[in-house]
Amino acid sequence: MSATGIRLHAPAPGWSLAADIVVVGSGVAGLTTALRCSAAGLKTVVVTKANLDDGSTRWAQGGVAAALGEGDTPEQHLDDTLVAGAGLCDEEAVRTLVTEGPDAVRRLIETGAHFDTGPEGDIELAREGGHHRRRIAHAGGDATGAEISRALVEAVRARGIPTVENALVLDLLTDAEGRTAGVSLHVMGEGQHDGVGAVHAPAVVLATGGMGQVFSATTNPSVSTGDGVALALRAGAEVSDLEFVQFHPTVLFLGADAEGQQPLVSEAVRGEGAHLVDADGVRFMVGQHELAELAPRDIVAKGITRRMQEKGAEHMYLDARHFGADMWENRFPTILAACRAHGIDPVTEPVPIAPAAHYASGGVRTDPHGRTTIPGLYACGEVACTGVHGANRLASNSLLEGLVYAERIAADIAAQHAEKALPALYAAVPVPVPPPAPVPHPDTPAHPLLPPEARFAIQRVMTDGAGVLRSADSLSDAAARLARIHAEAAGALADDGKTAEPGVDTWETTNLLCVARVLVAAAQRREETRGCHWREDHPDRDDEAWRRHIVVRLNADRTLAAHTTETADFPPTASLQEK
């Protein structure tokens, strides 16, 4: 393990807090971690970029996948997950997910989450793409994420866990030995804290969500700018499989020029029997896969894109007129409202849809306990690469991953804290374990900041060259354009020491460029089509050469170091922590 010495250009922290653990993010992964750590007696602080309930979890429509139904088993859930992951799932990580998942969902219910139930009081289970059984627990019809977020936020507030809202995390703080010592962050607006500060803690959990805003059109909220992955890279951590970005097949089409967050039309709509059709009403997915519209998402997204190319069309349609008004209003009220807000009534007309960036299957590489390659730094949820999703996430496994691995992280942190505190039990006067002392803030900026307008240039580059369809030419062009953006900022810093003014917009844009460069580099390296990585110039899956993971680190000179693992297994993170 080696640090890069790279940090964002920012003022030195003007205030600080001390804790046993700082959790960055307030979705299902972050808040579950915080609740479990607090229950174990650890002083826990939650830092979140907006309000506590503004993360990606709130937008999840489908639900939580778990073997809760009669006749279903973890083994069947495992099989479906491995198929969707296209040969790159870590089978033991998936086994952990599916075996610990049902109890994790039950504990979520005990925390206060209310799932939809049938007449007998049993949890109603839906079906989504890639699942051979109904195993998706949902709430409020299509408002599962909002209900889970509500329950967890209420539980966090009831426990009195300290939170720092409207705070953008900047960089990882480390001690003289390179171990985690907390984070620096910037609080936006007035409050108990304001401006750049720090939370000192020996354990940091990144639960910052995804990076969908790196593309022009995405289902992700505006806060999903890859901050956690970028922070980890600057700190010297490894990231893996960033080329596997899942494009959700059915996103409400708002026009070819639409940018930013787009309304999602949940996979559960197809699970209940909606059909994908072209302008002539032809069900084009029939015959392409045994599950037709319910095939894994990468297959459906490719099917839609192919049909769009064949027809010279900008979108396809999702036809669920046969549901009738009652089903739309009771089962999918959120989607119905979103469609009608844009002038489309799915009760009486097909819904125009097209794929858009949705979920990052790769991220900061972790072990089975959420530990990264930096001692004391953990990652959980979409920001992490646990090995569960492989080359393509199975629908509704993401919320479950957040629950299961959050609990594992909390258990590991509690165990390590207890081990460090043990000598104090034998002292005459027990003393708490102090947080490590961070290395002083550097006097000069180590990383150039990009102007806010570069954000749109990055998004256009990524959508054009690294979207659903990729090729050597498109990726080479994307890499060159990103390199020019990077070089211009670096050149300005080298020539006259100037960089864009520090601020939320410039920090976010700089993070987006960082993750975009890694994504494109990995996509260039993987010369095959697998899961949600589709290379037009290499249309076939190549297990002999590419049933491997691509791992990337950031060098001290801000260049990228990428390598391919020798097998489909990850080397243990502990081996790098000790270097």
Side-chain angles (χ1 to χ4, degrees):
M1 188 276 299
S2 60
T4 66
I6 301 173
R7 290 183 180 176
L8 289 174
H9 179 31
W15 54 269
S16 66
L17 300 173
D20 296 322
I21 170 179
V22 55
V23 177
V24 186
S26 60
V28 62
L31 296 187
T32 300
T33 304
L35 285 167
R36 300 296 179 263
C37 285
S38 177
L42 300 176
K43 184 177 180 183
T44 305
V45 172
V46 175
V47 173
T48 187
K49 195 171 179 181
N51 295 323
L52 274 184
D53 61 353
D54 276 347
S56 294
T57 292
R58 182 165 66 92
W59 298 96
Q61 293 176 347
V64 185
L68 297 165
E70 184 178 352
D72 197 5
T73 64
E75 199 67 26
Q76 293 176 66
H77 189 181
L78 180 141
D79 289 343
D80 285 345
T81 301
L82 295 180
V83 169
L88 277 187
C89 294
D90 180 319
E91 186 166 340
E92 285 309 304
V94 178
R95 194 172 299 280
T96 294
L97 179 84
V98 299
T99 55
E100 297 182 12
D103 283 342
V105 172
R106 294 182 185 104
R107 283 188 287 273
L108 177 62
I109 293 170
E110 291 171 2
T111 302
H114 302 294
F115 289 95
D116 295 341
T117 56
E120 303 298 320
D122 295 333
I123 295 176
E124 281 188 343
L125 299 173
R127 187 178 171 198
E128 293 183 356
H131 294 272
H132 282 78
R133 282 189 174 274
R134 286 183 169 266
R135 64 167 65 98
I136 316 300
H138 52 84
D142 58 359
T144 309
E147 170 58 18
I148 290 174
S149 181
R150 178 205 64 76
L152 292 174
V153 168
E154 285 187 6
V156 164
R157 287 177 173 155
R159 283 198 68 90
I161 297 175
T163 60
V164 183
E165 297 180 274
N166 300 305
L168 172 64
V169 68
L170 299 176
D171 281 301
L172 186 74
L173 303 178
T174 54
D175 64 16
E177 297 179 352
R179 296 180 178 275
T180 295
V183 291
S184 59
L185 63 157
H186 173 78
V187 179
M188 300 165 267
E190 296 181 0
Q192 183 179 358
H193 306 287
D194 196 13
V196 175
V199 182
H200 298 150
V204 170
V205 179
L206 297 178
T208 52
M211 56 183 189
Q213 289 291 325
V214 78
F215 293 96
S216 296
T218 177
T219 61
N220 289 193
S222 61
V223 295
S224 299
T225 51
D227 307 319
V229 171
L231 174 149
L233 283 163
R234 286 192 297 272
E238 289 188 348
V239 303
S240 184
D241 299 351
L242 228 58
E243 69 272 30
F244 295 118
V245 175
Q246 188 178 78
F247 286 77
H248 198 287
T250 54
V251 176
L252 187 62
F253 181 74
L254 301 180
D257 298 327
E259 294 184 337
Q261 186 179 10
Q262 314 286 305
L264 175 66
V265 182
S266 170
E267 191 141 357
V269 178
R270 280 175 282 138
E272 296 295 345
H275 301 146
L276 286 166
V277 298
D278 60 22
D280 298 319
V282 176
R283 288 183 62 191
F284 54 86
M285 284 304 299
V286 174
Q288 291 199 37
H289 189 276
E290 61 168 331
L291 297 176
E293 285 94 351
L294 286 176
R297 287 179 178 173
D298 63 308
I299 293 171
V300 179
K302 290 172 189 174
I304 292 171
T305 304
R306 285 195 188 100
R307 196 64 164 190
M308 287 163 56
Q309 290 177 327
E310 292 169 3
K311 293 290 186 178
E314 294 179 326
H315 61 83
M316 289 287 108
Y317 294 92
L318 187 67
D319 191 352
R321 289 175 289 180
H322 53 285
F323 283 6
D326 285 348
M327 183 170 179
W328 270 110
E329 290 167 1
N330 294 313
R331 180 68 176 86
F332 302 111
T334 307
I335 299 170
L336 178 63
C339 289
R340 285 176 170 171
H342 291 282
I344 300 155
D345 189 350
V347 176
T348 60
E349 60 186 316
V351 178
I353 52 89
H358 182 56
Y359 190 89
S361 291
V364 185
R365 188 164 83 78
T366 72
D367 72 0
H369 303 282
R371 296 178 290 222
T372 72
T373 51
I374 295 178
L377 179 64
Y378 297 76
C380 190
E382 190 173 354
V383 70
C385 182
T386 62
V388 159
H389 304 305
N392 185 46
R393 175 181 66 105
L394 181 66
S396 288
N397 267 356
S398 50
L399 292 174
L400 188 71
E401 182 192 33
L403 287 171
V404 169
Y405 282 88
E407 293 187 341
R408 294 177 72 84
I409 287 172
D412 190 74
I413 293 173
Q416 293 201 28
H417 187 271
E419 183 179 330
K420 291 174 183 176
L422 194 59
L425 295 176
Y426 300 98
V429 181
V431 236
V433 179
V439 171
H441 192 275
D443 294 328
T444 56
H447 200 297
L449 297 180
L450 298 177
E453 57 269 22
R455 175 173 183 152
F456 304 105
I458 294 166
Q459 291 171 332
R460 285 192 293 270
V461 168
M462 295 301 290
T463 295
D464 292 344
V468 179
L469 297 178
R470 302 167 179 175
S471 68
D473 289 343
S474 76
L475 290 166
S476 177
D477 179 63
R481 291 165 68 186
L482 293 174
R484 284 196 295 272
I485 294 172
H486 175 75
E488 287 172 4
L493 182 64
D495 291 343
D496 52 21
K498 291 185 178 179
T499 185
E501 192 68 24
V504 174
D505 288 345
T506 56
W507 289 320
E508 284 186 336
T509 303
T510 302
N511 285 339
L512 284 173
L513 178 62
C514 180
V515 297
R517 291 176 63 215
V518 175
L519 194 161
V520 169
Q524 283 183 294
R525 194 178 185 96
R526 184 173 292 280
E527 295 181 333
E528 66 159 353
T529 290
R530 181 186 297 271
C532 51
H533 171 68
W534 187 7
R535 287 283 298 260
E536 293 180 284
D537 51 336
H538 296 280
D540 298 319
R541 171 172 158 176
D542 183 354
D543 278 351
E544 183 175 351
W546 287 108
R547 192 163 177 258
R548 311 280 191 274
H549 300 279
I550 295 174
V551 179
V552 182
R553 290 184 69 250
L554 189 64
N555 293 320
D557 62 358
R558 298 191 292 276
T559 58
L560 301 176
H563 74 272
T564 306
T565 59
E566 295 181 0
T567 69
D569 298 325
F570 280 128
T573 58
S575 64
L576 283 143
Q577 290 183 6
E578 300 306 320
K579 289 183 180 179

